Amino acid sequence: MDDYKIIITVSGADKIGIVAAVANILAKYKVNIEDIKQTLMQGHFVMFMLCDIKEASVNFKDLKNALIEEGNKMETEIWVQKKGIFEKMHTV
C-alpha cells in the first residue's frame, strides 16, 4: 500500500559518507529501503530512495526532521515526501 511509501531525495556536493549517513538514520528508525538510485553529475551528488515506513519506530514528521537535520550537518539538501504526493507533483 502506498500509504507507507516515501521518496527521499538527496542533493549536494559529492563527498564520502552521504549514502551511509542517510542509510544509518533509516536503519535507526526501522525504515526499509526498497529502491535506490544515485548519480554524480559534474561533481554534484543526486540520490533518490523509495522507502517503506510501515514498521518505522517514529512518525513521518519526526523521520523527515531527522533526515533534514542530517542533511544540514552534511551541507546537503534532503527532501522527504510521501510517495502519493511526490507522484501527483510530477504528473503533468
Side-chain angles (χ1 to χ4, degrees):
M1 186 187 292
D2 280 353
D3 290 346
Y4 298 106
K5 306 293 183 185
I6 63 170
I7 303 288
I8 300 169
T9 307
V10 181
S11 176
D14 187 34
K15 60 181 88 174
I16 295 170
I18 296 173
V19 176
V22 174
N24 283 336
I25 289 176
L26 297 175
K28 175 181 177 180
Y29 295 120
K30 300 181 182 350
V31 174
N32 186 44
I33 299 170
E34 294 188 344
D35 197 1
I36 181 171
K37 303 276 189 257
Q38 66 184 48
T39 190
L40 191 60
M41 298 185 310
Q42 298 179 354
H44 193 81
F45 177 84
V46 180
M47 176 172 67
F48 297 97
M49 303 174 94
L50 171 64
C51 299
D52 187 320
I53 59 172
K54 187 174 186 176
E55 304 295 326
S57 61
V58 294
N59 63 38
F60 173 78
K61 182 179 177 184
D62 290 342
L63 175 63
K64 181 177 179 175
N65 289 337
L67 288 164
I68 290 170
E69 182 178 321
E70 185 64 28
N72 291 338
K73 289 180 193 172
M74 295 185 295
E75 298 178 344
T76 303
E77 294 285 333
I78 298 182
W79 297 272
V80 185
Q81 297 173 292
K82 293 187 177 179
K83 183 175 181 263
I85 293 170
F86 179 86
E87 288 174 342
K88 285 186 169 124
M89 288 176 56
H90 294 89
T91 303
V92 177

